[in-house]
């Protein structure tokens, strides 16, 4: 049985559709209920829905053999896992954003609100920029509006959230998409099964 961690939400549904198209369907997953684990013994797959940022934890520790994780989460947590395939879905970018009239003063410590402190720290340390990280867990866009931070480091997909909150992107940091990841031990001992899944998915990837 291959254990597969799917990120709850729209991205996970898209990722499941790719696995289904590759021949790894599990019809019970489509039932409207609050179950979190679904399996199809005939196909040898067990799926479970987890919080998107937890996928890499399940995979790193071997509770899941493979999973679908955003590149943002991989960069933030640097888990000891394999990245097998860029699925070409969940495309967005990590960017610095601020109020339209924000004027950076390099002689001052920059206050950065973010859910991604490691990504932000690494980005600014390459520029030898002194920053003060304000770690938040969501609705990051509010921080500069209320004066909690000077800038934010966050995901931008359509740019609508920034626009509607009178913020604008200032610098792009990195492109993000969903990655098929694998536990290192599973990849060794369940290699044929995992490669078969990769092969099946690869046909439906549009980059
Ligand atoms: C993410 C991100 C932005 C928004 C960007 O938030 O943090 O707020 O999506 O999307 P857009 O560019 O298409 O507007 P998410 O929905 O994950 O909620 P959060 O506030 O909990 O981070």
């Amino acid at each position: 049985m291959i254990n597969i961690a799917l990120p709850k939400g729209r991205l996970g549904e898209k990722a499941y559709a790719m696995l289904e198209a590759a021949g790894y369907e599990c019809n019970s997953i489509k039932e409207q209920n609050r179950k979190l684990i679904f399996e199809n013994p005939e196909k040898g797959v067990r799926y479970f829905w987890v919080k998107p940022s937890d996928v890499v934890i399940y995979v790193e520790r071997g509770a899941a053999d493979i999973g679908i994780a955003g590149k943002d989460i991989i960069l933030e947590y640097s888990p000891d896992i394999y990245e097998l395939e860029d699925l070409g879905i969940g495309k967005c970018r990590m960017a610095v954003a601020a109020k339209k009239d924000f004027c950076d003063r390099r002689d001052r410590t920059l206050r950065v609100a973010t859910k991604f402190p490691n990504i932000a720290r690494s980005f600014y340390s390459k520029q030898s920029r002194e920053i003060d990280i304000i770690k938040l867990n969501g609705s990051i866009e509010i921080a500069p509006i209320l004066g909690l931070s000077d800038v934010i480091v966050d995901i931008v997909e359509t740019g609508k959230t920034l626009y509607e909150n009178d913020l604008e992107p200032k610098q792009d940091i990195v492109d993000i998409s969903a990655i098929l990841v694998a536990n290192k031990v599973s990849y060794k001992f369940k290699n044929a099964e995992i490669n078969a899944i990769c092969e099946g998915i690869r046909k439906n990837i549009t980059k």
Side-chain angles (χ1 to χ4, degrees):
M1 193 67 103
I2 299 289
N3 290 299
I4 305 172
L6 292 171
K8 258 192 221 171
R10 216 155 38 91
L11 177 65
E13 280 159 27
K14 272 192 192 169
Y16 170 74
M18 291 178 82
L19 286 149
E20 187 182 56
Y24 296 92
E25 75 277 6
C26 181
N27 294 329
S28 57
I29 209 166
K30 295 196 167 152
E31 287 164 12
Q32 295 293 326
N33 58 35
R34 305 194 80 165
K35 271 181 73 165
L36 297 171
I37 302 181
F38 303 88
E39 62 180 64
N40 182 347
E42 277 152 38
K43 298 284 178 176
V45 286
R46 182 190 291 130
Y47 291 101
F48 42 92
W49 295 113
V50 303
K51 207 174 153 158
S53 53
D54 289 343
V55 168
V56 293
I57 300 174
Y58 283 83
V59 172
E60 184 175 38
R61 291 177 174 265
D65 299 304
I66 59 174
I68 285 84
K71 186 72 181 172
D72 51 336
I73 303 297
I74 298 172
L75 290 171
E76 180 61 24
Y77 297 102
S78 304
D80 189 18
I81 55 177
Y82 291 134
E83 290 179 43
L84 300 182
E85 204 69 55
D86 183 336
L87 299 183
I89 56 172
K91 285 187 186 174
C92 52
R93 64 192 206 273
M94 184 72 63
V96 178
K99 282 178 21 184
K100 288 179 184 149
D101 60 0
F102 172 68
C103 197
D104 194 5
R105 280 190 45 188
R106 287 191 67 92
D107 57 327
R108 275 209 208 146
T109 300
L110 188 69
R111 296 169 307 150
V112 182
T114 187
K115 273 199 283 193
F116 303 94
N118 292 325
I119 293 176
R121 221 171 268 127
S122 144
F123 176 72
Y124 283 109
S125 85
K126 282 179 201 141
Q127 304 177 10
S128 308
R129 184 70 205 265
E130 210 163 294
I131 59 164
D132 179 12
I133 297 265
I134 300 151
K135 166 80 169 71
L136 296 176
N137 300 300
S139 302
I140 315 295
E141 290 82 0
I142 292 174
I145 299 169
L146 298 183
L148 179 64
S149 76
D150 300 309
V151 300
I152 62 172
V153 164
D154 199 15
I155 297 287
V156 181
E157 192 181 348
T158 60
K160 212 166 166 217
T161 312
L162 291 181
Y163 180 78
E164 291 189 359
N165 289 288
D166 292 322
L167 303 178
E168 64 183 19
K170 299 285 185 188
Q171 281 167 296
D172 284 347
I173 300 181
V174 65
D175 285 332
I176 304 292
S177 56
I179 312 287
L180 180 70
V181 296
N183 172 268
K184 288 190 165 178
V185 176
S186 302
Y187 191 66
K188 194 169 170 192
F189 290 102
K190 299 184 181 179
N191 191 268
E193 295 93 322
I194 293 175
N195 278 335
I197 294 174
C198 273
E199 278 296 308
I201 288 180
R202 215 169 275 146
K203 291 181 203 130
N204 293 314
I205 295 177
T206 43
K207 282 188 181 156

